[in-house]
Amino acid sequence: MPQRTGLVSTSIAALLITIGVASAGTLDRIGQEKSIRIAYREDAPPFSYKDKIGEPSGFMVDLCRAVAKHLADQRSLASLNVVYVPVTGADRFEAITQQKADLLCEPTSATLSRREQVDFSVPTFLDGASLMVRTDGPKNLRDLAGGKIGVLAGTTTEESLRNSLKDAGIAGDIVAAKTHGEGLAMLDEGKVSAYFADRSILLFLIKESKAPEKLRLADDYLSVEPYALALPRGDSDFRLAVDRALSHIYRSGEIGTIFQRTFGGKAEPSQILRTLYVISSLPD
């Protein structure tokens, strides 16, 4: 009997040591290996994707690179090597929970149910469905009464547009596009008065327009998706370090440079996004 008790005690001790190493070691491991593992999607532009030469790109990828530089400063390291871990929409959270990556850098909406698996940084972006319109055309959804509105066919976005028009009591003619490129062309050519999609996609599309200076985003947010960086659950020291890095990036204005790198030199964050960065940047 005493031998069995000793065996159980030894097993429990070994388990506790394993748990302790796993949960408390992110910053220590980063410091020892001088590297940080960033999980990214190859198919989620403009936030996270593989560019034409096969390199990880996008707003969230660039933001995580900036976070890595700030973490290196916090740990008094000359630099941090960034190791990229490709993930998909299906296995992205497993990369964090199974300790394959330290940060999930893609368009991840922070939700309460997801907090059961991972922790989240302070907010990094606010996305949601909106309208792209011509500068000389309608300014918002209500101005589009009786007009033609383009949207990607067969998507939840199309359903959201129909519901938004119905809820607002607006009669509009919905024109389905096979691709976002086709929708942009319809707006460029004046075949529709507006194109409906997530704001981030619309910002990305404006760069591809034949006359980007003639297009703008409407002020309407018809849905809201708060994005944040996912990281290991329960590792408060690492989360604090990431939040400190993001806060410095927001307060210094570095976030504006990252935004313009993704969405174009003349693109500017919306007022609601600027407000998000102001209230999300925590003081030291």
Side-chain angles (χ1 to χ4, degrees):
M1 186 72 175
Q3 290 181 345
R4 183 179 179 184
T5 302
L7 179 61
V8 171
S9 299
T10 301
S11 298
I12 292 175
L15 177 62
L16 290 174
I17 291 173
T18 301
I19 293 173
V21 170
S23 63
T26 305
L27 281 177
D28 289 338
R29 187 199 58 75
I30 287 173
Q32 291 169 2
E33 299 181 6
K34 296 181 176 56
S35 68
I36 184 169
R37 300 167 301 175
I38 289 178
Y40 82 104
R41 294 256 302 276
E42 297 181 352
D43 60 349
F47 293 104
S48 178
Y49 62 99
K50 184 179 286 188
D51 66 15
K52 295 179 180 178
I53 62 173
E55 293 295 322
S57 299
F59 180 85
M60 291 301 177
V61 174
D62 284 349
L63 181 59
C64 282
R65 289 188 183 116
V67 167
K69 291 179 181 179
H70 283 264
L71 289 178
D73 291 341
Q74 291 180 30
R75 307 297 289 180
S76 299
L77 300 173
S79 64
L80 273 180
N81 180 46
V82 176
V83 178
Y84 297 101
V85 181
V87 296
T88 66
D91 66 9
R92 53 184 170 165
F93 294 111
E94 292 178 10
I96 301 298
T97 60
Q98 296 180 6
Q99 301 175 40
K100 297 176 182 177
D102 305 311
L103 281 176
L104 179 56
C105 304
E106 51 100 51
T108 309
S109 295
T111 67
L112 294 174
S113 60
R114 286 174 176 172
R115 281 188 180 180
E116 296 176 359
Q117 304 178 60
V118 297
D119 277 345
F120 288 100
S121 68
V122 294
T124 56
F125 201 86
L126 194 64
D127 205 3
S130 188
L131 297 162
M132 179 166 58
V133 296
R134 297 177 64 89
T135 55
D136 58 355
K139 304 301 181 186
N140 52 49
L141 185 66
R142 189 159 297 281
D143 290 345
L144 286 166
K148 293 183 178 181
I149 309 170
V151 67
L152 191 64
T155 61
T156 56
T157 308
E158 180 182 0
E159 181 181 355
S160 176
L161 174 58
R162 294 185 186 278
N163 291 336
S164 296
L165 292 173
K166 181 180 178 181
D167 292 343
I170 298 172
D173 184 9
I174 296 178
V175 181
K178 295 179 181 178
T179 65
H180 286 307
E182 182 180 312
L184 174 62
M186 290 192 298
L187 185 60
D188 275 338
E189 296 166 9
K191 295 180 179 179
V192 294
S193 299
Y195 187 69
F196 185 79
D198 287 346
R199 289 182 73 90
S200 55
I201 294 174
L202 297 177
L203 278 169
F204 205 62
L205 285 175
I206 286 178
K207 294 197 304 180
E208 306 299 319
S209 171
K210 296 177 180 178
E213 71 281 357
K214 294 183 179 180
L215 299 179
R216 63 180 292 271
L217 296 191
D219 296 330
D220 302 31
Y221 269 86
L222 302 178
S223 67
V224 176
E225 295 287 342
Y227 293 164
L229 304 180
L231 41 83
R233 191 167 188 260
D235 195 337
S236 57
D237 289 341
F238 182 50
R239 184 181 62 194
L240 175 60
V242 170
D243 285 346
R244 177 174 285 116
L246 288 171
S247 295
H248 289 183
I249 290 168
Y250 297 166
R251 288 203 303 271
S252 68
E254 186 180 354
I255 189 64
T257 302
I258 296 171
F259 185 92
Q260 290 174 351
R261 190 181 304 143
T262 299
F263 297 108
K266 294 183 179 180
E268 294 183 356
S270 65
Q271 185 57 53
I272 192 171
L273 195 53
R274 290 195 196 98
T275 302
L276 176 77
Y277 292 137
V278 170
I279 63 177
S280 296
S281 57
L282 305 175
D284 287 315

